[in-house]
Amino acid sequence: MLRFARRVVEQQSARQLALIDRWIAAEERRESERRQGEKMRPPRPEWLIQHGLNRSNIDAVHTGDCWAAAKSGRCRPATREQALDALRRQVPACVHCRPDTALGIPD
C-alpha cells in the first residue's frame, strides 16, 4: 500500500510541476509581449486638438498628457504650430492643462 501511495504522490507531483511550468511559460510570454508592445508604441503627442461631435468644430486645445483629453475620446494629435494656430483663432485652451501657458501665449 505504501508503494502505491508513493506512486500516486509522484504522479500528482509531476502533473502539478508540469502545470506550474506551463503557467510560468505563459506569464513569461505575456511579459515579453507587453515589453515588445511598449517598445513599438508610438510616442505620446505633445499637443492635442479636441474636435466637436461633428468633427468640423474645434472645441479645445490640450497638452499631450492632459487627463481631460484622454477622457473625452475626441482628440487628435497636433503639431506645435497647429496648436498655436488654433489658440490664435480663439479656440479655448483646456482649463486643466493650460496649453496656452505651456506654449507661451499670454492671456
Side-chain angles (χ1 to χ4, degrees):
M1 272 317 261
L2 290 175
R3 290 186 194 278
F4 175 74
R6 186 178 190 289
R7 280 195 313 263
V8 169
V9 170
E10 272 183 16
Q11 290 172 355
Q12 289 176 347
S13 297
R15 269 187 267 151
Q16 290 301 316
L17 285 174
L19 178 64
I20 290 171
D21 288 342
R22 285 193 303 268
W23 288 345
I24 290 171
E27 192 61 36
E28 288 172 346
R29 186 182 67 250
R30 278 192 290 271
E31 182 64 22
S32 171
E33 290 170 355
R34 185 190 62 77
R35 273 191 253 115
Q36 184 179 6
E38 285 178 357
K39 286 180 190 175
M40 296 181 71
R41 183 175 297 143
R44 179 180 285 184
E46 286 191 56
W47 312 103
L48 298 168
I49 294 181
Q50 179 179 340
H51 293 275
L53 294 175
N54 64 359
R55 291 193 171 265
S56 64
N57 296 341
I58 297 177
D59 288 344
V61 178
H62 298 272
T63 60
D65 57 352
C66 180
W67 63 269
K71 202 170 184 181
S72 77
R74 297 188 319 233
C75 292
R76 298 287 173 250
T79 63
R80 179 181 175 87
E81 292 75 28
Q82 290 170 329
L84 281 168
D85 184 49
L87 290 171
R88 286 186 189 123
R89 287 187 284 130
Q90 304 301 317
V91 173
C94 174
V95 296
H96 303 289
C97 62
R98 302 303 303 172
D100 50 348
T101 305
L103 288 167
I105 297 177
D107 289 339

